[in-house]
Amino acid sequence: MPITENRPFIAFVVIVSLAFAWVVSPFYGSILWAVVAAIIFAPLNRRIAGAIPKWPNLAATITLLAIIAVVILPSAMIATSLVQEVVGLYQRIETREIDFARVLADIQRNLPGWATDMLQRLGMTDFNLMNEKFTSAIANVARTVATGAVDVGQSAFGFFIGLGVMLYLAFFLLRDGDLLIKTVGARIPLLPVQKGALLDKFTVVIRATIKGSVVVAILQGLIGGFIFWALDIRAALLGGVLMGFLSLLPAIGTGLIWAPVAIYLFVTGAVWEGTILVLCGLFVIGMVDNLLRPILVGKDTRMPDFVVLISTLGGIAIFGINGFILGPVIAALFMAAWDIFGQLPNGQRAGK
């Protein structure tokens, strides 16, 4: 009997597959990032394995050490510094070292007459009330981050377990990735051309997402943070990280951070610093995305910008930080699947 006609066995395969997915679901993030690391660092691993063909374990270990040195250690250092900076910001707000009432008063004194009239028409002249709301909002954000830092410290064991699973799985994916792809691919009930197209799309989108989004975000965050530091703007690291994260929003992303800071500099009389920040924001930070993203990504993903944006934001909303990868991948597989379906003869589309 052909396996496709053995419906009870097919049902059993589906059930045990779902059960296995449920069992490993607590580590789905670790599994995802292990796959991402293996795909991104596969070319490096191939070069190392080519130089020492008789030592595949050593090649995978060297590649894994490179991942730790290039990605994990810098990320941990930045995260630690960021938490310290946010906690310090929260403490300065609590001790009134940062006084938003004085800041708002300075802005009001330096506003032109037409701007003051507009604020009056909009009912935004009660600066004491605005100060209370703004201070409360900033303090709540900082308190949340500070509390989150404590929670991370208390759940460090779980974090390191997840990190260990990710590195352990990445080792085997680097060493045996080609064999695993052939083994799994042979069991997928699709035509070879269809399997190849979907696998290629999956790999291309992950590489394009990392190159086109993560690299650009890191560069924009570094440049923005350095500019803040050079202009002696407080919380430069926090500003840089926020600019890097918001660079996911094309055109206006980083401007949501540097533009309000520039406005504050202008209205408080720091015209020279505000001018430098605007010029750097427009012609340095903003141009990084326009110049580098097409070079790094090219036409690999072949997805419209609005699809990338919506799928990325939707993925983050559903899956958290893991959605940064899962969203575009799901969108790409969706488009690839419909492209393949559109190429099928009408009879096959109808299931005949």
Side-chain angles (χ1 to χ4, degrees):
M1 178 186 299
I3 188 67
T4 54
E5 296 180 6
N6 192 345
R7 295 184 179 179
F9 182 75
I10 293 177
F12 174 74
V13 171
V14 172
I15 291 172
V16 296
S17 298
L18 293 175
F20 177 76
W22 177 59
V23 168
V24 302
S25 61
F27 297 101
Y28 90 94
S30 300
I31 296 171
L32 171 66
W33 289 104
V35 172
V36 171
I39 291 174
I40 297 301
F41 286 87
L44 174 62
N45 187 70
R46 291 193 188 97
R47 293 191 187 95
I48 297 174
I52 48 175
K54 296 182 179 180
W55 302 88
N57 289 331
L58 179 59
T61 301
I62 295 173
T63 306
L64 205 62
L65 292 175
I67 294 173
I68 294 173
V70 174
V71 178
I72 295 177
L73 289 180
S75 299
M77 294 172 62
I78 292 175
T80 302
S81 300
L82 179 62
V83 169
Q84 292 175 348
E85 187 167 284
V86 172
V87 171
L89 176 63
Y90 170 62
Q91 291 174 346
R92 290 198 296 271
I93 293 174
E94 287 289 295
T95 59
R96 298 294 181 179
E97 180 181 348
I98 298 179
D99 188 354
F100 288 109
R102 178 177 56 80
V103 172
L104 293 172
D106 291 339
I107 294 175
Q108 183 183 24
R109 283 195 299 269
N110 289 277
L111 285 175
W114 62 268
T116 302
D117 294 338
M118 180 179 296
L119 290 177
Q120 290 176 349
R121 288 195 296 270
L122 295 174
M124 299 176 61
T125 55
D126 190 350
F127 286 98
N128 289 328
L129 179 61
M130 292 176 60
N131 170 55
E132 292 178 3
K133 292 183 177 181
F134 193 61
T135 301
S136 176
I138 294 295
N140 286 336
V141 171
R143 188 182 298 111
T144 300
V145 175
T147 304
V150 175
D151 292 339
V152 169
Q154 293 175 345
S155 61
F157 179 75
F159 170 79
F160 284 111
I161 288 292
L163 179 61
V165 170
M166 176 262 182
L167 294 174
Y168 184 75
L169 180 58
F171 172 84
F172 289 100
L173 292 176
L174 288 167
R175 192 191 67 178
D176 305 321
D178 294 337
L179 178 61
L180 289 172
I181 290 174
K182 292 179 181 178
T183 302
V184 174
R187 287 160 174 77
I188 296 177
L190 295 174
L191 296 175
V193 175
Q194 297 171 348
K195 289 187 286 188
L198 293 175
L199 178 61
D200 289 343
K201 179 63 70 173
F202 177 80
T203 304
V204 164
V205 168
I206 285 182
R207 287 177 177 166
T209 300
I210 296 297
K211 291 191 300 181
S213 297
V214 174
V215 173
V216 170
I218 290 173
L219 289 176
Q220 288 187 313
L222 286 174
I223 294 172
F226 175 78
I227 293 171
F228 274 28
W229 172 81
L231 295 176
D232 197 24
I233 297 173
R234 289 189 175 185
L237 178 60
L238 177 60
V241 171
L242 291 176
M243 278 187 274
F245 181 77
L246 290 175
S247 67
L248 292 173
L249 301 176
I252 64 171
T254 57
L256 295 176
I257 301 300
W258 64 258
V261 176
I263 293 173
Y264 166 75
L265 292 174
F266 280 123
V267 300
T268 55
V271 178
W272 177 245
E273 290 84 352
T275 302
I276 293 176
L277 182 55
V278 170
L279 293 176
C280 290
L282 292 175
F283 299 107
V284 180
I285 301 174
M287 293 303 294
V288 168
D289 181 77
N290 297 330
L291 294 176
L292 288 185
R293 194 182 297 271
I295 296 174
L296 294 172
V297 179
K299 297 181 180 179
D300 285 346
T301 59
R302 297 178 183 174
M303 289 195 298
D305 290 340
F306 69 89
V307 174
V308 176
L309 174 63
I310 294 174
S311 62
T312 300
L313 295 179
I316 292 174
I318 296 173
F319 302 106
I321 189 63
N322 297 320
F324 175 70
I325 297 292
L326 287 174
V329 167
I330 292 173
L333 293 178
F334 167 80
M335 297 181 69
W338 278 98
D339 286 341
I340 294 172
F341 181 76
Q343 296 171 8
L344 294 175
N346 291 332
Q348 293 187 25
R349 294 185 199 176
K352 299 178 180 179

